[in-house]
PDB file of all heavy atoms in Angstrom:
ATOM      1  N   LEU M  52      -4.059 -22.571   2.849  1.00 98.00           N
ATOM      2  CA  LEU M  52      -4.181 -21.456   1.911  1.00 98.00           C
ATOM      3  C   LEU M  52      -4.995 -21.912   0.705  1.00 98.00           C
ATOM      4  O   LEU M  52      -4.819 -23.028   0.201  1.00 98.00           O
ATOM      5  CB  LEU M  52      -2.793 -21.020   1.461  1.00 98.00           C
ATOM      6  CG  LEU M  52      -2.699 -19.913   0.414  1.00 98.00           C
ATOM      7  CD1 LEU M  52      -3.205 -18.592   0.978  1.00 98.00           C
ATOM      8  CD2 LEU M  52      -1.259 -19.765  -0.074  1.00 98.00           C
ATOM      9  N   VAL M  53      -5.882 -21.025   0.227  1.00 97.00           N
ATOM     10  CA  VAL M  53      -6.764 -21.377  -0.880  1.00 97.00           C
ATOM     11  C   VAL M  53      -6.586 -20.375  -2.023  1.00 97.00           C
ATOM     12  O   VAL M  53      -6.586 -19.166  -1.810  1.00 97.00           O
ATOM     13  CB  VAL M  53      -8.244 -21.369  -0.437  1.00 97.00           C
ATOM     14  CG1 VAL M  53      -9.134 -21.827  -1.578  1.00 97.00           C
ATOM     15  CG2 VAL M  53      -8.441 -22.241   0.796  1.00 97.00           C
ATOM     16  N   ARG M  54      -6.460 -20.916  -3.250  1.00 97.00           N
ATOM     17  CA  ARG M  54      -6.430 -20.087  -4.451  1.00 97.00           C
ATOM     18  C   ARG M  54      -7.686 -20.373  -5.263  1.00 97.00           C
ATOM     19  O   ARG M  54      -8.004 -21.533  -5.552  1.00 97.00           O
ATOM     20  CB  ARG M  54      -5.194 -20.369  -5.290  1.00 97.00           C
ATOM     21  CG  ARG M  54      -5.007 -19.362  -6.433  1.00 97.00           C
ATOM     22  CD  ARG M  54      -3.847 -19.727  -7.314  1.00 97.00           C
ATOM     23  NE  ARG M  54      -4.176 -20.846  -8.198  1.00 97.00           N
ATOM     24  CZ  ARG M  54      -3.326 -21.375  -9.094  1.00 97.00           C
ATOM     25  NH1 ARG M  54      -2.096 -20.892  -9.199  1.00 97.00           N
ATOM     26  NH2 ARG M  54      -3.697 -22.387  -9.844  1.00 97.00           N
ATOM     27  N   PHE M  55      -8.373 -19.311  -5.638  1.00 95.00           N
ATOM     28  CA  PHE M  55      -9.627 -19.439  -6.385  1.00 95.00           C
ATOM     29  C   PHE M  55      -9.509 -18.679  -7.692  1.00 95.00           C
ATOM     30  O   PHE M  55      -9.144 -17.497  -7.713  1.00 95.00           O
ATOM     31  CB  PHE M  55     -10.774 -18.888  -5.537  1.00 95.00           C
ATOM     32  CG  PHE M  55     -12.132 -19.042  -6.156  1.00 95.00           C
ATOM     33  CD1 PHE M  55     -12.571 -20.265  -6.625  1.00 95.00           C
ATOM     34  CD2 PHE M  55     -12.980 -17.950  -6.262  1.00 95.00           C
ATOM     35  CE1 PHE M  55     -13.835 -20.415  -7.188  1.00 95.00           C
ATOM     36  CE2 PHE M  55     -14.245 -18.078  -6.817  1.00 95.00           C
ATOM     37  CZ  PHE M  55     -14.668 -19.313  -7.286  1.00 95.00           C
ATOM     38  N   ASP M  56      -9.803 -19.341  -8.806  1.00 93.00           N
ATOM     39  CA  ASP M  56      -9.693 -18.707 -10.119  1.00 93.00           C
ATOM     40  C   ASP M  56     -11.040 -18.278 -10.689  1.00 93.00           C
ATOM     41  O   ASP M  56     -11.138 -17.878 -11.846  1.00 93.00           O
ATOM     42  CB  ASP M  56      -8.994 -19.642 -11.109  1.00 93.00           C
ATOM     43  CG  ASP M  56      -9.760 -20.950 -11.347  1.00 93.00           C
ATOM     44  OD1 ASP M  56     -10.901 -21.075 -10.848  1.00 93.00           O
ATOM     45  OD2 ASP M  56      -9.218 -21.831 -12.027  1.00 93.00           O
ATOM     46  N   GLY M  57     -12.087 -18.345  -9.870  1.00 90.00           N
ATOM     47  CA  GLY M  57     -13.419 -17.996 -10.316  1.00 90.00           C
ATOM     48  C   GLY M  57     -14.300 -19.210 -10.517  1.00 90.00           C
ATOM     49  O   GLY M  57     -15.532 -19.105 -10.535  1.00 90.00           O
ATOM     50  N   ARG M  58     -13.630 -20.369 -10.641  1.00 91.00           N
ATOM     51  CA  ARG M  58     -14.376 -21.617 -10.822  1.00 91.00           C
ATOM     52  C   ARG M  58     -13.905 -22.715  -9.870  1.00 91.00           C
ATOM     53  O   ARG M  58     -14.705 -23.418  -9.276  1.00 91.00           O
ATOM     54  CB  ARG M  58     -14.250 -22.119 -12.266  1.00 91.00           C
ATOM     55  CG  ARG M  58     -14.966 -21.250 -13.283  1.00 91.00           C
ATOM     56  CD  ARG M  58     -14.923 -21.911 -14.651  1.00 91.00           C
ATOM     57  NE  ARG M  58     -15.668 -21.127 -15.639  1.00 91.00           N
ATOM     58  CZ  ARG M  58     -15.830 -21.499 -16.902  1.00 91.00           C
ATOM     59  NH1 ARG M  58     -15.276 -22.638 -17.340  1.00 91.00           N
ATOM     60  NH2 ARG M  58     -16.516 -20.745 -17.743  1.00 91.00           N
ATOM     61  N   ASN M  59     -12.582 -22.835  -9.769  1.00 93.00           N
ATOM     62  CA  ASN M  59     -12.016 -23.951  -9.011  1.00 93.00           C
ATOM     63  C   ASN M  59     -11.162 -23.467  -7.845  1.00 93.00           C
ATOM     64  O   ASN M  59     -10.523 -22.410  -7.919  1.00 93.00           O
ATOM     65  CB  ASN M  59     -11.162 -24.838  -9.929  1.00 93.00           C
ATOM     66  CG  ASN M  59     -11.961 -25.383 -11.101  1.00 93.00           C
ATOM     67  OD1 ASN M  59     -12.983 -26.019 -10.913  1.00 93.00           O
ATOM     68  ND2 ASN M  59     -11.483 -25.110 -12.313  1.00 93.00           N
ATOM     69  N   PHE M  60     -11.140 -24.282  -6.799  1.00 95.00           N
ATOM     70  CA  PHE M  60     -10.317 -24.008  -5.638  1.00 95.00           C
ATOM     71  C   PHE M  60      -9.082 -24.899  -5.667  1.00 95.00           C
ATOM     72  O   PHE M  60      -9.177 -26.094  -5.971  1.00 95.00           O
ATOM     73  CB  PHE M  60     -11.086 -24.297  -4.338  1.00 95.00           C
ATOM     74  CG  PHE M  60     -12.250 -23.374  -4.107  1.00 95.00           C
ATOM     75  CD1 PHE M  60     -13.538 -23.750  -4.462  1.00 95.00           C
ATOM     76  CD2 PHE M  60     -12.053 -22.125  -3.527  1.00 95.00           C
ATOM     77  CE1 PHE M  60     -14.611 -22.906  -4.243  1.00 95.00           C
ATOM     78  CE2 PHE M  60     -13.121 -21.280  -3.312  1.00 95.00           C
ATOM     79  CZ  PHE M  60     -14.401 -21.666  -3.674  1.00 95.00           C
ATOM     80  N   ARG M  61      -7.931 -24.306  -5.341  1.00 96.00           N
ATOM     81  CA  ARG M  61      -6.723 -25.085  -5.140  1.00 96.00           C
ATOM     82  C   ARG M  61      -6.275 -24.855  -3.699  1.00 96.00           C
ATOM     83  O   ARG M  61      -6.078 -23.708  -3.290  1.00 96.00           O
ATOM     84  CB  ARG M  61      -5.617 -24.677  -6.103  1.00 96.00           C
ATOM     85  CG  ARG M  61      -4.336 -25.506  -5.917  1.00 96.00           C
ATOM     86  CD  ARG M  61      -3.249 -25.111  -6.892  1.00 96.00           C
ATOM     87  NE  ARG M  61      -2.029 -25.867  -6.643  1.00 96.00           N
ATOM     88  CZ  ARG M  61      -0.875 -25.660  -7.291  1.00 96.00           C
ATOM     89  NH1 ARG M  61      -0.808 -24.732  -8.240  1.00 96.00           N
ATOM     90  NH2 ARG M  61       0.194 -26.376  -7.004  1.00 96.00           N
ATOM     91  N   ILE M  62      -6.129 -25.928  -2.954  1.00 97.00           N
ATOM     92  CA  ILE M  62      -5.818 -25.828  -1.531  1.00 97.00           C
ATOM     93  C   ILE M  62      -4.363 -26.204  -1.292  1.00 97.00           C
ATOM     94  O   ILE M  62      -3.876 -27.230  -1.772  1.00 97.00           O
ATOM     95  CB  ILE M  62      -6.744 -26.746  -0.713  1.00 97.00           C
ATOM     96  CG1 ILE M  62      -8.205 -26.360  -0.951  1.00 97.00           C
ATOM     97  CG2 ILE M  62      -6.401 -26.665   0.774  1.00 97.00           C
ATOM     98  CD1 ILE M  62      -9.203 -27.330  -0.370  1.00 97.00           C
ATOM     99  N   PHE M  63      -3.658 -25.364  -0.542  1.00 97.00           N
ATOM    100  CA  PHE M  63      -2.277 -25.627  -0.143  1.00 97.00           C
ATOM    101  C   PHE M  63      -2.287 -25.921   1.358  1.00 97.00           C
ATOM    102  O   PHE M  63      -2.650 -25.065   2.166  1.00 97.00           O
ATOM    103  CB  PHE M  63      -1.383 -24.418  -0.425  1.00 97.00           C
ATOM    104  CG  PHE M  63      -1.320 -24.009  -1.873  1.00 97.00           C
ATOM    105  CD1 PHE M  63      -2.320 -23.228  -2.438  1.00 97.00           C
ATOM    106  CD2 PHE M  63      -0.256 -24.414  -2.673  1.00 97.00           C
ATOM    107  CE1 PHE M  63      -2.263 -22.838  -3.776  1.00 97.00           C
ATOM    108  CE2 PHE M  63      -0.191 -24.029  -4.006  1.00 97.00           C
ATOM    109  CZ  PHE M  63      -1.198 -23.243  -4.556  1.00 97.00           C
TER     110      PHE M  63
END
Side-chain angles (χ1 to χ4, degrees):
L52 177 67
V53 184
R54 189 185 76 180
F55 184 52
D56 62 7
R58 291 187 177 182
N59 302 304
F60 294 97
R61 181 179 177 185
I62 301 171
F63 300 82

